[in-house]
Amino acid sequence: MEFRHFGKCSMLSPVPVAMVTSVDSAGKPNIFTAAWCGTVCTKPPMITLGIKPERYSHGLIKQSGECVLNMTSASLVRAADYCGVKSGRDTDKFADMRLTPIKTCVSAPAIAESPLNIPCRVKEIIPLGSHDMFILEVMDVALSESLFSGEAPDLGKANLVSFAHGEYYLTGEKLGFFGFSVASKEVLRRRMPKRGGGK
Ligand SMILES: Cc1cc2nc3c(=O)[nH]c(=O)nc-3n(C[C@H](O)[C@H](O)[C@H](O)COP(=O)(O)O)c2cc1C
């Protein structure tokens, strides 16, 4: 494979697209879109968000100490883009995009139209340069009932969107599962019927 070097830039790809909700001191909700986010700890469950200090949401999340990550499904991608180019200082993004706020265990509402929402509390804010790193502790995880057929959720049904170098993509076909490279034929047959147990 031949390579072309792009130099020093943040091109880790793909990354998730989170619609992050928070409230002002009067309880009015806002949404901003964040792609600089990732899981950093399992116990306790923690996520980081990179937020520019000039974002309206930066002040809201810092002051309230809470926010909700609402993951973007294909049907929400236009709203996610809008919430990533308009500021809550100037407009009501819930109203503009006809989104429905619903109560969570933190002060910020979730977006009812998102299949996966994650209410969080701010643990720490670390200035890094252009962005501040918000370390968030996960307080709950709510998944749409439509993702369940048994006990475990099937996130493949959620049509989640990812982001790579400025473009939105739909998460694609299931290719495997954690540990499938060393799984028995029986497990592969059960969990990957087409690939593992194919003709
Ligand atoms: C796909 C996408 C991803 C973005 N990711 C981030 C991010 O991770 N951190 C950030 O500070 N801004 C990010 N932005 C920009 C903010 O969402 C944007 O400036 C937004 O208007 C801020 O809204 P607010 O002023 O209501 O907080 C992103 C925008 C888009 C479209």
Side-chain angles (χ1 to χ4, degrees):
M1 209 182 283
E2 289 197 16
F3 290 97
R4 189 179 295 194
H5 292 268
F6 251 65
K8 282 168 69 168
C9 62
S10 303
M11 212 193 278
L12 178 71
S13 300
V15 283
V17 181
M19 298 172 76
V20 183
T21 42
S22 55
V23 286
D24 67 13
S25 54
K28 186 177 177 228
N30 185 43
I31 312 168
F32 97 105
T33 302
W36 286 185
C37 59
T39 301
V40 284
C41 189
T42 308
K43 274 188 190 170
M46 290 204 269
I47 290 170
T48 56
L49 270 187
I51 311 179
K52 280 194 169 181
E54 58 262 39
R55 308 287 185 236
Y56 180 54
S57 299
H58 184 287
L60 299 187
I61 299 169
K62 189 175 175 180
Q63 255 167 23
S64 64
E66 294 175 338
C67 64
V68 179
L69 273 66
N70 303 270
M71 303 319 294
T72 303
S73 56
S75 56
L76 280 173
V77 70
R78 193 172 163 273
D81 188 67
Y82 183 86
C83 293
V85 293
K86 293 278 183 181
S87 178
R89 282 190 192 97
D90 312 317
T91 191
D92 178 342
K93 293 187 247 185
F94 265 100
D96 296 349
M97 289 290 104
R98 301 211 167 106
L99 296 172
T100 319
I102 48 166
K103 271 186 88 62
T104 65
C105 63
V106 298
S107 54
I111 300 171
E113 290 78 5
S114 163
L116 166 58
N117 69 72
I118 309 173
C120 297
R121 278 211 181 113
V122 177
K123 291 276 286 181
E124 209 177 325
I125 302 174
I126 302 174
L128 298 177
S130 62
H131 291 62
D132 287 352
M133 180 168 79
F134 283 60
I135 302 181
L136 307 171
E137 183 165 355
V138 173
M139 305 313 290
D140 186 26
V141 172
L143 294 137
S144 165
E145 277 294 348
S146 64
L147 303 179
F148 290 85
S149 42
E151 280 297 300
D154 179 357
L155 282 171
K157 288 184 185 163
N159 287 327
L160 294 174
V161 167
S162 66
F163 192 66
H165 194 45
E167 319 276 350
Y168 302 98
Y169 295 90
L170 186 60
T171 49
E173 191 190 348
K174 176 170 158 182
L175 300 174
F177 56 89
F178 182 90
F180 85 103
S181 61
V182 292
S184 68
K185 279 197 174 138
E186 174 47 36
V187 172
L188 286 174
R189 211 169 289 130
R190 195 161 26 84
R191 295 195 53 186
M192 298 291 295
K194 278 192 197 127
R195 286 166 185 274
K199 294 171 241 160

